[in-house]
Amino acid sequence: MTDENDAPDAGDDGEPIDILLVEDNPGDVRLTREAFKEGRIENNLHVATDGVEALSFVRQEGEYADAPRPDLVLLDLNLPRKNGDEVLAELKSDDDLKCIPVVVLTSSKAEEDIVKSYEHHANAYLTKPIDPEAFIDTIRSFETFWFSVVRLPPNGDPQ
């Protein structure tokens, strides 16, 4: 058994973990950055503010040609241009991208949103707390679970 102090502080290859946060609310972006900055896991947090930008980033298209392939995507549902449901469905239907874990992080507690997210193969569904301290606690719990307990798929081209 691994002692908590022996938990990795980066990916298995010693590199920081690349996280794509897809979020259009600047306040939530700021709180997420703050939570990850104070966390134990070394990471690179990239931000896309709408669904079209998120897909371009993940597909490494256009201005994102040199973007790293994310180890994990944190996805809001309520986004401009292309909503989170559409982004999730496209990611999970693409053979080259479907192994990237996608965690829905949204303010919606609606049962239909939860069901639809899992039908589109979300790896988890988290509801954003309204209170900023509770929000930061949620992100820290997420970080501990996803980067210290869960084994992420290898990053890179699946060829």
Side-chain angles (χ1 to χ4, degrees), residues 22 50-52 54-55 73 75 79 82-92:
V22 187
D50 65 55
V52 172
L55 289 170
V73 175
L75 178 66
L79 298 167
K82 189 173 285 237
N83 70 38
D85 287 328
E86 295 169 307
V87 172
L88 180 60
E90 285 191 42
L91 288 174
K92 293 301 184 175

Side-chain angles (χ1 to χ4, degrees), residues 1-158:
M1 179 150 54
T2 302
D3 183 74
E4 182 178 333
N5 295 329
D6 295 333
D9 61 357
D12 283 344
D13 58 3
E15 294 295 314
I17 293 170
D18 284 297
I19 303 164
L20 176 60
L21 172 63
V22 187
E23 174 60 69
D24 64 326
N25 180 322
D28 288 349
V29 170
R30 183 183 53 76
L31 287 172
T32 304
R33 280 192 193 282
E34 183 179 324
F36 279 127
K37 183 178 169 187
E38 295 175 10
R40 298 179 55 227
I41 309 301
E42 188 177 347
N43 66 75
N44 295 317
L45 184 65
H46 309 275
V47 178
T49 57
D50 65 55
V52 172
E53 183 182 2
L55 289 170
S56 293
F57 185 99
V58 174
R59 292 176 176 148
Q60 298 170 315
E61 298 172 338
E63 68 181 283
Y64 299 107
D66 294 328
R69 180 182 169 106
D71 295 297
L72 186 134
V73 175
L74 270 174
L75 178 66
D76 188 20
L77 292 180
N78 302 312
L79 298 167
R81 295 182 22 175
K82 189 173 285 237
N83 70 38
D85 287 328
E86 295 169 307
V87 172
L88 180 60
E90 285 191 42
L91 288 174
K92 293 301 184 175
S93 66
D94 185 316
D95 285 339
D96 293 331
L97 305 174
K98 67 183 177 184
C99 68
I100 298 172
V102 178
V103 175
V104 173
L105 178 63
T106 186
S107 56
S108 174
K109 295 180 183 178
E111 190 172 308
E112 71 180 64
D113 287 339
I114 297 167
V115 169
K116 189 185 292 186
S117 292
Y118 283 116
E119 285 176 349
H120 289 304
H121 306 286
N123 296 85
Y125 190 102
L126 299 174
T127 303
K128 295 179 198 173
I130 295 170
D131 175 68
E133 284 302 316
F135 184 94
I136 289 172
D137 288 344
T138 297
I139 296 298
R140 287 187 185 141
S141 296
F142 157 85
E143 178 187 45
T144 299
F145 178 73
W146 279 97
F147 303 129
S148 295
V149 177
V150 171
R151 291 210 33 142
L152 295 172
N155 193 343
D157 294 327

